[in-house]
Amino acid sequence: MRILLLLTSLLFAVPVSASEAPIASPRLAALQAQLDGRNDGGDVAAFWADVRAKGTPLIEPVAGEPAQMTLTFLWREPTDRDHIDLGVFGVFNATPWQTGDPLIRLAHTDIWYRSYRVSAALRAQYMLIGRDGAARGAKPQRAWSHTDEAGRDRDFDLFLDPLNPRTIDDVYFLPHSRESIFDGPDAPRETWLAPKPARLHGRMIDLTIRSAVLGNERNLAVYVPDPSLTKGKPPGLLLLFDGPSYRAAGRVPEMLDRMIAAGAIAPTVAVMVDSITLDNREKELAPNEPFTRFIAEELMPMLRTRFGLSGDPRKTVIAGASRGGQSASFIAMRHPELFGNVIAQSPALWWGPSEADMDTHWLARAFENRDRLPIRFYIQMGTLEDAKSMLGTARHFQEILHSKGYDVTYREFVGGHTFFSWRAILPQALTALLPAEERRAEAVTEGRHAAVP
């Protein structure tokens, strides 16, 4: 729940209030003009039929501002109430209990809506949120509790948008949850993912590994590429934390399968590591020496032996999102002989080994106080992430890496701390750090770094 609390604090778009005129959504404004105070069921019925066919939210251009769009969420409530305790819960808006922006009613209709003006490049996850049975007929995905400014505990339900068929399977450590999703016309396209998962050319293997160092056992999901594509050469390795999320929400096996088959990246085995529990995740994916020993002394030797992996650290990537991105950076710092590449997606760099190290740029200082290591970095951050704790620490980290002479790519995307954003931009990092042999050779011949963007 700590991550969800963080997400709800990310203010990006200001909602349009009920008193504002004209209505922000051109579609709803036109409908209101048609009705002109009449209770014309035919116009409204036609509107709902179109919405059911096309799905929500409504995404409309903003006149004179091609980089913006109007985003409108809808709910059908056949009552004459002036207020319903329903709102929108996402990284692009403030939460309803903070801003008082529940859904509002289009006059003389059963249409309830909330509009936001946002970047046309936004990709985001969201849910509808209600309390006291406000979302009648909708099955909650999970409960959510919030303490208001008066210190009162309030309980809410989070549920999918019933008018939006597009969902993502999970978020972080909640593998049985789903969220609704949308993307604007200028958002990154998911070039390497089909609308529905396809059959793999490679194969998936589910393993468990017992750690003597940590005294626990965890699951590994391993993607192995089609052996005919490796051409007898040892494959590279992509090691990912938050394995269940990268497998389901991130759809990494399908993504790698397509990229390898197309020759976009070198044949690579992907190992997705489970954190066992949320508490375990918070402990291990902070800079953690015992977990680092497990990776270097137990996991990596097993993987290299079982899958015949390349021993070249330049063909090995360690990667993760949020705390996983920080952990990947820390482990590579400790073991550059194993990991020559890091992908850090929205790394949680405000964390340190202890509570005393919070917000101290602990990891940046650790790199600053060492000689430059043979590690390449690809860091991706969302513009909707907290300006100080998230964006601020990431920008500082990449500045330190640059000052030390590291090969580092830093990119910001329009979005928040979500797998729906991370999976769309992961291929950019993979093609940079795991180029096919032909592209790697071209880069070396031309005197450039081996990573080809």
Side-chain angles (χ1 to χ4, degrees):
M1 289 306 176
R2 194 169 188 173
I3 293 294
L4 289 175
L5 180 60
L6 182 61
L7 293 181
T8 62
S9 69
L10 304 179
L11 175 61
F12 173 58
V14 177
V16 180
S17 74
S19 61
E20 289 185 7
I23 297 170
S25 163
R27 181 76 183 280
L28 290 181
L31 177 60
Q32 188 72 82
Q34 281 181 328
L35 297 174
D36 193 26
R38 297 176 289 109
N39 188 9
D40 191 331
D43 290 335
V44 174
F47 170 81
W48 281 122
D50 189 59
V51 166
R52 283 193 299 271
K54 297 178 180 177
T56 57
L58 300 182
I59 294 177
E60 302 169 282
V62 176
E65 298 185 48
Q68 297 285 301
M69 66 182 180
T70 299
L71 186 66
T72 301
F73 299 90
L74 298 168
W75 177 264
R76 192 171 193 176
E77 182 71 23
T79 72
D80 292 329
R81 288 189 293 168
D82 294 326
H83 171 83
I84 56 174
D85 200 356
L86 289 175
V88 182
F89 183 94
V91 300
F92 53 88
N93 71 315
T95 54
W97 55 82
Q98 291 173 335
T99 64
D101 65 333
L103 302 182
I104 56 179
R105 186 182 179 210
L106 191 71
H108 311 294
T109 74
D110 60 357
I111 300 169
W112 294 74
Y113 71 95
R114 174 59 64 183
S115 293
Y116 299 89
R117 182 170 292 184
V118 298
S119 169
L122 175 63
R123 293 171 63 86
Q125 299 169 204
Y126 73 99
M127 303 187 83
L128 299 182
I129 183 168
R131 63 190 301 265
D132 299 330
R136 289 179 292 183
K139 181 181 179 181
Q141 286 290 302
R142 58 183 180 268
W144 172 246
S145 296
H146 171 72
T147 303
D148 64 18
E149 293 179 354
R152 296 170 299 187
D153 291 332
R154 303 184 68 192
D155 296 325
F156 299 86
D157 288 326
L158 296 173
F159 53 96
L160 294 173
D161 181 348
L163 298 171
N164 183 356
R166 301 179 63 199
T167 62
I168 194 166
D169 288 337
D170 73 356
V171 181
Y172 299 109
F173 37 80
L174 298 173
H176 302 296
S177 181
R178 287 186 296 158
E179 292 196 6
S180 298
I181 55 176
F182 68 87
D183 48 0
D186 297 339
R189 301 296 96 184
E190 294 185 326
T191 308
W192 299 104
L193 293 177
K196 294 183 178 180
R199 181 181 177 185
L200 300 177
H201 296 92
R203 61 194 175 106
M204 291 298 302
I205 302 174
D206 292 311
L207 302 175
T208 59
I209 181 170
R210 177 74 186 175
S211 171
V213 172
L214 299 173
N216 59 29
E217 183 176 274
R218 72 190 65 229
N219 297 323
L220 307 174
V222 183
Y223 164 79
V224 181
D226 182 344
S228 69
L229 299 176
T230 63
K231 300 177 181 178
K233 297 180 180 179
L237 171 67
L238 172 64
L239 183 67
L240 290 152
F241 300 124
D242 287 313
S245 290
Y246 268 108
R247 182 178 185 175
R251 296 172 64 184
V252 163
E254 180 187 351
M255 182 188 300
L256 289 184
D257 202 62
R258 288 170 174 263
M259 295 181 75
I260 293 168
I265 62 173
T268 301
V269 170
V271 178
M272 292 157 275
V273 182
D274 191 4
S275 292
I276 310 175
T277 66
L278 172 57
D279 289 342
N280 209 56
R281 178 184 187 271
E282 292 195 354
K283 179 176 68 174
E284 292 181 345
L285 296 187
N288 183 292
E289 293 291 354
F291 185 68
T292 300
R293 284 187 57 205
F294 157 69
I295 296 293
E297 299 173 14
E298 297 178 318
L299 179 62
M300 286 297 290
M302 183 276 284
L303 294 176
R304 282 184 169 176
T305 299
R306 176 152 186 168
F307 298 105
L309 301 176
S310 171
D312 186 348
R314 294 173 300 175
K315 297 182 180 181
T316 302
V317 178
I318 187 168
S322 193
R323 286 205 185 193
Q326 184 197 43
S327 183
S329 303
F330 175 77
I331 293 171
M333 180 185 72
R334 285 286 193 260
H335 292 282
E337 79 284 0
L338 297 177
F339 302 105
N341 304 278
V342 172
I343 297 175
Q345 298 193 293
S346 302
L349 296 168
W350 62 94
W351 290 96
S354 68
E355 289 291 330
D357 300 309
M358 290 282 288
D359 300 318
T360 63
H361 298 289
W362 184 90
L363 190 60
R365 293 201 319 274
F367 274 91
E368 189 175 26
N369 293 332
R370 284 171 169 76
D371 292 339
R372 181 175 63 86
L373 301 169
I375 306 170
R376 294 178 296 170
F377 286 85
Y378 204 110
I379 303 170
Q380 299 170 314
M381 292 296 303
T383 56
L384 308 192
E385 304 192 72
D386 182 78
K388 180 181 178 181
S389 66
M390 295 181 178
L391 279 169
T393 54
R395 289 168 179 167
H396 177 72
F397 184 53
Q398 65 93 19
E399 289 170 0
I400 294 298
L401 293 176
H402 273 299
S403 72
K404 297 290 290 187
Y406 280 89
D407 182 349
V408 54
T409 301
Y410 178 84
R411 296 285 184 267
E412 292 185 3
F413 59 91
V414 180
H417 212 73
T418 70
F419 270 94
F420 188 52
S421 289
W422 295 327
R423 79 182 188 192
I425 58 175
L426 181 59
Q428 300 169 11
L430 295 175
T431 53
L433 300 182
L434 291 170
E437 289 299 325
E438 294 79 5
R439 296 174 62 236
R440 187 185 298 273
E442 289 172 5
V444 173
T445 301
E446 295 174 10
R448 295 181 282 117
H449 290 294
V452 183

